[in-house]
Amino acid sequence: AEISNRAIQVVDDDDDGTLVVFPPGPTELARRKILRSDLLRAFGVDDHHLDRTPPKPPPTKRRAHPERKQRRRLPRSDSDPNFAVGFLKDVAWYEDQIAHVERLEARAPSFGRLTSRLRFDLSRLAPHPLYEHQALAADAALRRRSVALCTGTASGKSLAYNIPTVEFASANPGRCVALYLYPTKALAQDQLQKIRQKCDCPEFAHMTVATLDGDVGFNERRAILDSPPSVLLTNPDMLHYTILPTKSYREKLLPCLRLVVIDEAHSYVGAFGAHVGCVLRRLRRLCPDVVFFCASATIANPLEHARALIGIRDILVVDRDTSPRNEKAVAIWNPPIRDDTSSPVIPTEEDLLRELAMMPSPRAAQPASPPAPPILAAPLFAQLTRKPEESSSPPRVHAVPPPGHSSGVVDVCDLTKDDGEALCVVADARVVEFEEPPTATVPPKNLKPTLTDEERSMSRALVQKALERSRRREELERRHAELEKSLEEDMPRLVDAEGEAIGGGYAKRRSSIFEAARVFAALAKAGVRCLCFARSRRQVELVLSYASRLVPEELKGKICAYRGGYNKEDRRRIEAAFFGGSLVGVVATNALELGIDVGDLDATIHLGHPGSVASLWQQAGRAGRRPKSQSAAIVVCWASPIDQQFARCGSRLLNRPVEAAALDLGSNEAVLRSHLLCAAFERPLDRRADVDLFFQGGESSSSSSSSLTKAASFSFEECVSHLRRRGRLRALEDGTFGAHPTVKKPAKDVDLRLVDPESFQVIDDEADRPMDDVPYSRAFFELYEGAIYLHQAKPFLITKLDLGNFTARAKALPTCNYRTAARDVTDVDPTKTLESWRKDVSTGYVHVRTDVWGYKKLDRRTGAVLSLHTVTLPALEFDTRGTWIDVPKEAVDAVGDLYAAIHAASHAILAVAPLFVLGADVSDVQSEHAHPQQKRTRPARVVVYDARPGGVGVADTIFRRIDAVLTQALDLLEDCPCGARSGCPSCLFSPSCSAYNLRLDKVGAAIILRTILARRRPPREEDDDGAFVVGPDESPRDDDDDDTPRRKVR
């Protein structure tokens, strides 16, 4: 048959005559159908012969492309357009935990072109067109200008700095031309594989890449020195400890250095950021012509942060993200309030087993198997309840089965009602009804005994033991309740709009850790690749522990944890498995937050608000990187004020501007002194050049005297004099200052992660060896005599604290059912004002005095107070940076308990500080706390201060955004639905409060904040370069567009 464009002809092979002409059909399939039917009519071909046509060969299995992953089938649901959110709404245990869903629409890209000429073919490195922000940043670096590129996740920042790197390497083959600094080892390993894949072609044969971190052995380090790579991937710690202090590294790696890339620059804040800023200035002393490329997530102050970090004024900021974005849903998951306050917050083993039976099956289309009957006893109980062969109706104990099971009845033979109830206590069941056996009309015959004498005595002993344990537990709970009532007589009760008590009168929510494990396990069972973020190592292990019991056996090997503390082999194995896709879920700390491409993730889970909107978007950006895909971010809230505010006002907080990065380098004398000594060891200090470098951020000055005054009290001369008095520096003949000959590699004594000048060693009594170091600022809170100190999850009892030798002796305990918490009082007094605004808000230096006068023992499971103790320790005193607000007189006259109102206002400010300062944490900023027994007079002043000696920049950043901070703090108080004057865990309670959250006045705090804001509404003020803003709220709320119900605190 010849198939033409117009008709189908059936031609005879013998004489080429046309037999049948078929008109064209609408499709090829229609033509073939017409041909089939007409052949049957014209030539008498019956169906039997037609059906004998040979079957089609089976389709050959197509081999998957080595770089193309198979498409996974994700769950679908009609409950929500987003697959993950809809799936979670359909699980059996869903109780309206999702408080809000924010949807991000897809965004189209905007492209640009390079204007600089390159020595290589750009299509080899970037097969697709460059985004506009990539072209701008790469062009600036190629023109030898420092760049700060601040765009969102998956926006191609690495390509922007790889282009100038390849260009510099092409011009200087065989030399180390680029130094890449990453904050974590995992990020460096991820980027190493990507760069090697890009350079795996003949055109880039001259490009070599290597990593230098703590996992690199001696032979590999020697190979780096013998043959320097074109690109060296390392971290600030290795730059500080190894590259800068060691002469061989300086001579081999630094002479031809052209580019220094600081990836994830927004993570260098607080104390760590101050140290890294000094390390980069030491690098600039040795390589003055190097170009810096700062790649950062979106922050509010990119120019100010880049200048503070690298000390260069001329920086091009590229902060307009022109990359595409996929659809994403952010769901705020608030654990429900427990209706039964006696139920445990942390689930028991039985709860986890019941939860596993209720979890959805990976194949939702198949009918679920009927639930198994409740398992109510051990083997002994099974013997006790076996039925006689012949008997009348036995007593029946009706027990409540676990949730999700059909109701059942447990038959108990030869037991009284009391013994039956006790036996069900042993079986973890609850007796709700007891039926006596009916009177038999016919006496039973040949009734055999159901229990032997030995079995009966064993069962009676078991019952008595269970009853005694139950009585002891009730007595202990009664004593705990009385102690809590005496300590917390003012404990608030959460009520609804009608005044009815919610959650038993107190807002006790279910465990956020267990809720996160539930979500993680459910998504993993459904085949959704997810990553769960937790803020501490302990939280990571707990989430994985609960999730492992909630998933079937075949999935336990496909979920794991990733955190600090693992050895090199384990980290590399987990990274390879997760990046390769063989793991379906990982629970991690923020080590996997920073810029790592972990493949085609579908969802991220966040245990608690990450602390800032910038961190939330950074973590959520790990998922949804496949083109035209959708993803989800599930934020599981804690009961803390910031998390509950997030649950109540999710849309308003998610759409607010990102936070500013807090970095204050010049105010911390301890940090500057330590790095000035390291710099002198590398090359003698020059008064003029190094004052300008370390104290002015590289800003040129007309005279050296103005440079010295710019450093305020922490001047270059004061630091040098201090080091000379201690015999660490010496003056040289040419007027410079060099390290003393007795000083050997001072960098090893400077920890980039700490600010404290001293630390305490914790010594194991049994092994008589050091096992941990505790910073001086935390030692009195953790190492007092009688404290329980945890090391590798094992409890140790502190038996002695030696203040003279900075040591603490610890005795290992086999088990410990309680924990300890310090009881302290802190006074903060301003010593020097640096800046003031309208006379009522100031920032400057404060003197902090903390007295640890006792501690309390808390039940490890319930948190109940067991006992109170006193200790005698010297005061902990240091100077740092602070911001204080003088309470107006009209507010002082309007409130009742002034100290309680100030205390509550301080709590509210601390709770919202992470929304405005990137990296702000409980350990970075603190305030005064008013104790119930406080009698001493304190000024009417709200003060917050950096909790590190010398300061870390958080308090100063709060001062520069004070109106926005105060407005958000007032919103926190007004939005909370509790009617308690002293607040609740959702608005004012803080786990770090040394006054146990007892003396708080929520109404008085609202009066103070309103009065201060009413007196402060000047026009917005900005400096010439927009580095900071002091003025009204930077994120004004549009009440017309906000549907969140709001209520004033009266």
Side-chain angles (χ1 to χ4, degrees), residues 434-445:
F434 185 84
E435 292 183 6
E436 295 293 345
T439 305
T441 56
V442 180
K445 299 179 180 180

Side-chain angles (χ1 to χ4, degrees), residues 116 135 149 153 169 202 225-226 276 299 384 438 511 541 547 586 609 730 772 793 880 888 1017:
S116 304
L149 177 58
T153 56
L225 290 177
D226 293 340
V276 173
I299 57 177
L384 192 63
S511 168
E541 298 295 347
V586 167
H609 187 277
R730 61 171 180 168
D772 212 344
T880 185
R1017 288 302 180 189

Side-chain angles (χ1 to χ4, degrees), residues 364-422:
Q366 296 181 356
S369 58
I375 301 174
L376 297 178
L380 180 60
F381 183 62
Q383 293 180 6
L384 192 63
T385 58
R386 72 186 178 197
K387 296 181 179 179
E389 295 180 3
E390 295 183 23
S391 67
S392 60
S393 300
R396 288 157 54 87
V397 177
H398 292 256
V400 176
H405 298 283
S406 59
S407 60
V409 174
V410 179
D411 292 332
V412 182
C413 299
D414 294 339
L415 286 179
T416 64
K417 176 181 178 181
D418 293 338
D419 291 345
E421 293 180 352

Side-chain angles (χ1 to χ4, degrees), residues 565-809:
Y566 292 161
N567 57 40
K568 173 185 175 181
E569 291 74 18
D570 289 340
R571 288 199 308 271
R572 298 294 178 265
R573 175 179 53 81
I574 296 173
E575 290 167 7
F578 196 37
F579 299 164
S582 58
L583 290 178
V584 71
V586 167
V587 188
T589 56
N590 60 357
L592 289 180
E593 169 188 338
L594 303 173
I596 298 178
D597 185 2
V598 290
D600 53 342
L601 288 184
D602 306 306
T604 55
I605 304 166
H606 314 262
L607 180 53
H609 187 277
S612 65
V613 177
S615 295
L616 175 60
W617 295 132
Q618 184 74 5
Q619 292 179 359
R622 301 306 105 213
R625 293 196 168 195
R626 295 193 313 272
K628 298 181 180 180
S629 64
Q630 64 171 211
S631 60
I634 315 296
V635 183
V636 182
C637 296
W638 295 100
S640 63
I642 184 63
D643 285 65
Q644 291 306 306
Q645 176 78 347
F646 192 61
R648 291 190 295 267
C649 314
S651 179
R652 192 197 319 161
L653 295 183
L654 284 171
N655 291 311
R656 68 185 307 277
V658 294
E659 301 80 6
L663 178 58
D664 188 6
L665 183 66
S667 64
N668 199 305
E669 183 182 6
V671 173
L672 287 170
R673 281 202 307 261
S674 60
H675 285 280
L676 282 175
L677 179 60
C678 295
F681 179 81
E682 296 153 8
R683 195 181 71 183
L685 296 175
D686 179 81
R687 179 180 283 105
R688 181 180 180 86
D690 290 325
V691 163
D692 178 66
L693 184 63
F694 282 93
F695 291 90
Q696 279 193 242
E699 183 179 6
S700 60
S701 177
S702 58
S703 64
S704 61
S705 60
S706 62
S707 300
L708 292 174
T709 57
K710 195 72 174 180
S713 61
F714 301 122
S715 66
F716 176 82
E717 294 293 343
E718 290 175 346
C719 293
V720 170
S721 299
H722 178 87
L723 293 172
R724 291 183 65 184
R725 287 194 303 268
R726 297 190 61 183
R728 311 288 284 172
L729 281 183
R730 61 171 180 168
L732 303 179
E733 296 180 356
D734 56 356
T736 59
F737 300 93
H740 197 274
T742 58
V743 176
K744 303 296 183 183
K745 204 172 184 179
K748 70 179 186 302
D749 299 325
V750 181
D751 192 337
L752 300 187
R753 315 285 171 166
L754 298 176
V755 176
D756 300 86
E758 303 289 349
S759 61
F760 281 75
Q761 272 193 339
V762 183
I763 300 176
D764 187 354
D765 266 344
E766 183 177 353
D768 196 23
R769 61 176 180 81
M771 63 179 183
D772 212 344
D773 288 330
V774 176
Y776 182 85
S777 61
R778 295 300 308 164
F780 290 0
F781 298 92
E782 300 179 8
L783 301 180
Y784 46 84
E785 295 181 4
I788 297 299
Y789 185 79
L790 294 179
H791 178 72
Q792 296 292 333
K794 297 179 181 178
F796 288 81
L797 175 66
I798 301 298
T799 58
K800 183 180 180 181
L801 179 63
D802 190 344
L803 301 177
N805 297 320
F806 297 99
T807 59
R809 310 290 298 190

Side-chain angles (χ1 to χ4, degrees), residues 21 38 58 135 143 157 229 281 350 408 421 431 527 529 641 644 705 779 782 831 931 938 949:
V21 178
D38 285 351
R143 294 194 299 267
K157 291 188 286 288
R281 283 160 172 78
E350 288 77 10
E421 293 180 352
V431 176
R529 294 198 68 218
Q644 291 306 306
S705 60
E782 300 179 8
T831 58
H931 285 257
R938 295 295 299 162

